[in-house]
Amino acid sequence: MVINRWLNSVASAGKHLLRRSTRERNSMASLCSELYSNKGEALGIALADEVVNAYAALEGDEKKTFFNVLLRDYSPDPELINRCAEAYRSALTPETYRALAQAVESPRQTLFRRINMAPTGTRTVIDMREDLLQHLSGHPELRLVDDDLQHLLTSWFNPGFLQLRTMDWDSPAAVLEKLIEYEAVHEMQGWDDLRRRLDAKDRRCFGFFHPALPDEPLIFVEVALVPAVSSSVQTILAPHEGLVAQERISTAIFYSISNCQPGLRGISFGNFLIKQVVMRLKEDMPQLTEFATLSPIPGFRKWLNSVLANDQQPLLSAEDASLLTALDTPRWLEDTALQARLKPLLMRLCARYLLREKRGTAPLDPVARFHLGNGASVARLNWLGDTSAKGLQQSAGLLVNYDYDLEEVEEHHEAFLNRGEIACAPAVKRLLAS
């Protein structure tokens, strides 16, 4: 990219200045200190590049030490904040407000912005956050560092900066390799599988990209173009030659959505992706009338196990609890009589899990939170919709269709956010009483 070539050019010029400098730059702490205090453009970019290279060389505990330096040396000054707050309380003027705002802003944000000047600075800041997230459970004090990183990355990866791209077999090999690497819902079985999923006749793949990471998808969605709403992901993923006539295709099924950058966790752009993809598909194929997902239910078995472990839980009779133990053996998939007994019980429990079990005021299931927050509705539960090992482990093979009705999606979105209402098809509600 032009901007990266320019940054590399300026960085090269700055490196001549660095060679003439006699200051010690043999540690991340000293490099960051020099970068933070430097005001020059060429030298600043060269220093940022050195910080990037030095960070890439850190291992294990060295990264934790670096994060502690960020916490210790680049936090706001509490005494300065108090003085500015008192001054603002005494005189509510623009000047005292600006002074207070500057005092509250963490110096870490300035350091991260300067690291971002390096040609690969954005990639490094994302990597820093990915590494930091691995330390938070054992070191909660580092959440202050994460707050600053998340604040900046949310701004840098504002959906207005993102580019929606269609990915097909002619996309750069580097991008195609990332699709195989990052697929998080239904693992790809090599290049032939990828080629099938990119088949322009009845499949699409769309992703968001950022100008600073031109060959790195941030998130991508895989779409099947079919005659009706799908109930089995194995049917979608299976190779087949009997292609459906284009005029019979009326439905777009979003069957896999994968986030690609762990360092951007908690920064949501999936909702924007789906809405933009719907508009793109509608433009390309006006005959499409339905847009729905075929989604996993990743927390269902975990919740079900917690129900089984709770003797006071009134959801299950002793007979039901005994029946559910069959899920821990492979034989239930081969025993049609056992399946017939399990199906109504699991469908009822899954409907309850999706519609009534909450984390605070939001649905307990993370995929449900995502789609319902986008304005989708729970349209249908699918028995044995995913019989892969992962599907059986996560949800006893159940999948759910979330429907994106273009005429109702905004109304559902508002009702969900403001009143906690879950839009749901009558057939799914009836499962609660079955």
Side-chain angles (χ1 to χ4, degrees):
M1 290 183 65
V2 173
I3 185 65
N4 279 341
R5 287 200 298 270
W6 175 80
L7 286 173
N8 280 312
S9 174
V10 178
S12 296
K15 290 184 190 299
H16 292 292
L17 297 174
L18 281 178
R19 281 195 287 270
R20 292 199 299 268
S21 173
T22 57
R23 287 173 230 163
E24 185 182 63
R25 289 182 300 275
N26 57 2
S27 71
M28 277 294 290
S30 58
L31 277 170
C32 287
S33 177
E34 191 165 4
L35 175 61
Y36 181 80
S37 61
N38 182 269
K39 301 295 190 295
E41 183 178 88
L43 186 58
I45 293 175
L47 280 166
D49 203 38
E50 284 208 2
V51 169
V52 164
N53 293 332
Y55 184 79
L58 296 181
E59 298 179 356
D61 288 344
E62 292 176 327
K63 291 182 179 179
K64 186 172 70 173
T65 299
F66 170 62
F67 296 140
N68 283 323
V69 169
L70 293 176
L71 179 66
R72 183 192 67 218
D73 296 346
Y74 294 91
S75 289
D77 182 344
E79 293 184 4
L80 178 61
I81 292 174
N82 283 333
R83 289 198 301 273
C84 291
E86 289 296 333
Y88 181 64
R89 188 180 294 111
S90 300
L92 304 179
T93 65
E95 291 74 21
T96 57
Y97 170 79
R98 281 195 292 271
L100 177 59
Q102 290 173 3
V104 170
E105 181 173 295
S106 165
R108 283 185 294 270
Q109 293 193 31
T110 298
L111 178 62
F112 293 140
R113 290 189 190 101
R114 294 186 178 175
I115 293 173
N116 194 48
M117 294 190 300
T120 58
T122 304
R123 173 76 269 166
T124 298
V125 173
I126 294 173
D127 290 343
M128 282 181 180
R129 184 163 188 258
E130 179 180 351
D131 294 334
L132 176 64
L133 290 173
Q134 298 176 28
H135 293 284
L136 291 187
S137 60
H139 301 275
E141 69 278 4
L142 292 177
R143 291 190 181 280
L144 292 173
V145 180
D146 184 53
D147 288 344
D148 289 328
L149 280 169
Q150 184 167 3
H151 173 79
L152 284 176
L153 289 169
T154 299
S155 175
W156 295 350
F157 287 83
N158 181 293
F161 297 141
L162 305 184
Q163 304 163 345
L164 179 67
R165 293 191 208 164
T166 303
M167 288 168 282
D168 55 32
W169 194 243
D170 293 324
S171 296
V175 173
L176 297 181
E177 288 174 352
K178 297 296 182 183
L179 298 183
I180 295 176
E181 177 184 352
Y182 290 133
E183 166 60 61
V185 184
H186 305 294
E187 182 180 358
M188 291 192 193
Q189 307 302 316
W191 289 95
D192 288 341
D193 190 9
L194 173 62
R195 186 164 194 158
R196 170 69 195 127
R197 299 193 196 192
L198 300 179
D199 190 332
K201 299 182 186 70
D202 61 355
R203 297 291 184 268
R204 297 289 188 277
C205 184
F206 300 90
F208 267 152
F209 290 77
H210 190 278
L213 304 170
D215 294 324
E216 287 269 352
L218 308 179
I219 184 173
F220 64 91
V221 59
E222 297 167 69
V223 185
L225 304 173
V226 292
V229 175
S230 303
S231 61
S232 167
V233 75
Q234 269 71 46
T235 301
I236 287 177
L237 296 177
H240 63 276
E241 297 182 8
L243 294 174
V244 177
Q246 291 292 298
E247 60 271 16
R248 290 187 55 211
I249 292 176
S250 64
T251 304
I253 296 292
F254 302 89
Y255 65 91
S256 179
I257 302 174
S258 298
N259 285 293
C260 307
Q261 307 296 331
L264 297 179
R265 193 175 79 192
I267 300 169
S268 177
F269 20 68
N271 53 341
F272 296 96
L273 175 65
I274 288 183
K275 291 173 183 176
Q276 286 197 30
V277 168
V278 167
M279 290 188 288
R280 175 77 64 85
L281 288 170
K282 194 66 175 171
E283 290 174 2
D284 294 344
M285 304 182 69
Q287 77 269 28
L288 293 176
T289 57
E290 287 191 84
F291 299 88
T293 76
L294 186 58
S295 296
I297 314 169
F300 178 50
R301 281 292 304 273
K302 181 179 179 181
W303 171 79
L304 197 57
N305 289 338
S306 71
V307 171
L308 286 168
N310 186 355
D311 293 336
Q312 307 303 313
Q313 177 59 256
L315 296 180
L316 297 172
S317 66
E319 181 181 358
D320 289 341
S322 177
L323 181 59
L324 289 173
T325 61
L327 295 177
D328 295 324
T329 69
R331 68 185 180 89
W332 74 274
L333 276 181
E334 304 163 2
D335 188 333
T336 55
L338 181 57
Q339 285 185 30
R341 295 174 61 201
L342 280 167
K343 180 177 178 179
L345 175 59
L346 285 170
M347 295 284 274
R348 172 175 63 83
L349 290 170
C350 192
R352 179 188 176 93
Y353 170 70
L354 290 175
L355 300 180
R356 293 186 178 174
E357 296 301 318
K358 302 292 180 68
R359 187 187 70 176
T361 60
L364 184 60
D365 189 78
V367 177
R369 287 197 299 273
F370 173 76
H371 288 296
L372 294 171
N374 287 346
S377 63
V378 183
R380 185 174 70 189
L381 291 182
N382 299 294
W383 175 248
L384 298 185
D386 182 2
T387 54
S388 69
K390 183 178 181 180
L392 295 172
Q393 181 183 29
Q394 286 187 336
S395 60
L398 273 69
L399 293 180
V400 56
N401 298 119
Y402 294 102
D403 181 54
Y404 280 81
D405 186 323
L406 300 184
E407 295 183 356
E408 297 182 345
V409 67
E410 292 304 328
E411 180 182 339
H412 292 164
H413 169 75
E414 294 293 334
F416 179 80
L417 289 185
N418 295 322
R419 301 186 295 278
E421 295 177 7
I422 294 177
C424 179
V428 180
K429 287 183 179 179
R430 286 196 293 272
L431 289 171
L432 293 171
S434 62

